[in-house]
Structures are given as C-alpha cells and as structure tokens.
Amino acid sequence: MKIFGVECRVVDLSFKLHPGKEERRLEIRRFTYGAGEFMHDIDTMSHIGTHVECPSHYVDARYGKKGADLSKIPVEAFLGEAVLVDLSDKAAREPVTVKDLEDSGVQEGDIVLIGNSRFTGDDRPYISPEAARWLAETRVKMVGVDDSVHVEAPWNYESLDKMATHDNLLSNDIPLIERLTNLDKLRKRRFLFIGLPVNVEGLDAFPIRAIALEPLEEE
C-alpha cells in the first residue's frame, strides 16, 4: 500500500482471536438492534491476545497510587518509529542485556519490539532488570514482546516488588505490549509501528491490532 506516496509493506503483528476457544475468556453474543441490523455483546478480559498494558495495571497495586489508565495515555504513545531486538541467536534462558539493546540501535523515543527467540515455556530468554532499567532511562516510547521471551526473569512473576520490567516501564508511563506475533516476518530493523487500544476510561489494558509498516523505497 502507498502512504504519502511511499510504497509500504504491511505486517500484521497481532493474533486472531476465536470466541469460546481462547485460554482466557472471550464470548460474543449477537442480537438485533433498531431496524434489525446485528450488533454483539462482548464478554472478555482486558488481557487477551495481543494487548497493551498501561501504568494502572501495575502501579495501583504496587504503590497504592493511581497510575494512568488507557484513556490517560496520549495516543501518540501507541504509534511511531519502532526497532526490532532480534533474539534468534539467544540461548535458552539467556537474559536480554543492555548490550543487546544498544547493538540493536535502540534510542530515545523508539517503540522497542523484542522477540524471535527459538524457545518456548521456561526456556525462553527474559528481559533482565538491568535492561528494563536502561529502557526506562533511555526514555523509549513503548516496549513489546512476543511469546518467545519472558517479560520478567522467570522466577520474578509471583511478587510485585520483583517484577522489574513492569516496574521500570509502567512506573515511568511506558506502555507494555504482550503477545505480539509474526516478528519473524519483518524484513527491516526499523519500521513504523501502530498498535491502538480503545479509548475507555478506567481500563488497565486492552487488545490491540498491531501492525508494522515497512517502507519499500530502498528495495
């Protein structure tokens, strides 16, 4: 497709969801409205499929104060120039380090997508606390991961005070995307990313339709 005269390749980075078949609750019920057109009731969770988490998901529980919900995050935070941190050469259970981020060219204002490892389950690489702190200090715009990387060190999911990635990012108003997919389909290190949630007051998270736009003018 063309955007402002530039031919771009579109890569869908979000999972397709199947009502009634997901691990987390997702049900839809069709009904007629008005002249007989169809609408749907939706019964689901804020964390399902490819979704973005905002500060209120963590800050409220960890620190007992109000973190920003979806409606309080500027829409500009959910789109912009993105960079891929490719973990295809990472060993099992190896941490994502500051050097990995620096070598990938991560800089202030970037949307940072991390993934493409060869592992699943407990063998996945994980974002080290040092890398999470560096991302916050570098003032990236947003961070996303696919299912091949742990957001937290594997042993740090059971206590809020040990969740270094959630703490460093969400406490600094940096949204966190989980369950991206198709990062292996990207051809470029840098691209335009768009992942917009609904604008609903009070929500801590919501599914997004995440896409990458890769300019083709150099190909």
Side-chain angles (χ1 to χ4, degrees):
M1 64 178 298
K2 278 191 175 182
I3 301 177
F4 298 117
V6 177
E7 196 71 36
C8 292
R9 176 173 177 264
V10 181
V11 184
D12 193 342
L13 303 179
S14 48
F15 279 99
K16 181 178 181 178
L17 297 176
H18 304 273
K21 298 180 181 180
E22 300 296 326
E23 182 179 352
R24 293 181 173 177
R25 187 177 70 254
L26 175 61
E27 302 290 345
I28 61 174
R29 294 179 292 273
R30 192 170 74 165
F31 64 93
T32 57
Y33 181 81
E37 63 270 31
F38 289 122
M39 297 176 66
H40 286 85
D41 286 320
I42 304 170
D43 182 12
T44 190
M45 303 170 69
S46 58
H47 296 242
I48 188 169
T50 307
H51 63 276
V52 64
E53 301 174 356
C54 290
S56 62
H57 169 57
Y58 176 86
V59 171
D60 295 31
R62 174 73 172 89
Y63 294 107
K65 62 181 182 180
K66 286 289 185 182
D69 62 38
L70 283 178
S71 69
K72 302 296 192 301
I73 299 294
V75 69
E76 292 86 356
F78 302 112
L79 71 162
E81 187 171 345
V83 59
L84 175 65
V85 180
D86 189 351
L87 304 184
S88 55
D89 291 332
K90 279 285 181 186
R93 306 192 184 198
E94 187 178 358
V96 177
T97 65
V98 171
K99 186 176 186 302
D100 293 324
L101 302 174
E102 292 176 333
D103 288 349
S104 298
V106 175
Q107 57 194 18
E108 182 177 352
D110 278 345
I111 294 172
V112 183
L113 306 187
I114 306 172
N116 272 349
S117 89
R118 297 167 289 154
F119 302 98
T120 60
D122 291 341
D123 287 336
R124 290 177 287 174
Y126 62 90
I127 300 175
S128 69
E130 295 78 17
R133 187 180 312 115
W134 186 90
L135 287 165
E137 292 173 348
T138 303
R139 300 181 65 81
V140 300
K141 182 184 287 190
M142 186 160 58
V143 176
V145 299
D146 67 9
D147 285 349
S148 75
V149 56
H150 282 292
V151 173
E152 305 288 351
W155 53 89
N156 286 347
Y157 281 105
E158 297 181 357
S159 175
L160 288 172
D161 61 353
K162 293 182 179 180
M163 294 171 66
T165 301
H166 282 76
D167 195 6
N168 280 284
L169 299 183
L170 299 184
S171 295
N172 288 286
D173 291 330
I174 300 170
L176 173 63
I177 304 169
E178 295 185 352
R179 299 216 67 210
L180 290 165
T181 189
N182 292 331
L183 294 184
D184 60 326
K185 303 293 194 301
L186 294 170
R187 298 175 183 170
K188 295 182 179 292
R189 175 76 67 172
R190 286 192 166 270
F191 45 89
L192 176 65
F193 175 87
I194 302 173
L196 299 174
V198 295
N199 188 14
V200 177
E201 185 177 9
L203 276 182
D204 73 299
F206 203 75
I208 60 174
R209 189 65 180 264
I211 63 170
L213 297 172
E214 296 182 318
L216 300 177
E217 72 274 11
E218 297 178 1
E219 295 188 0

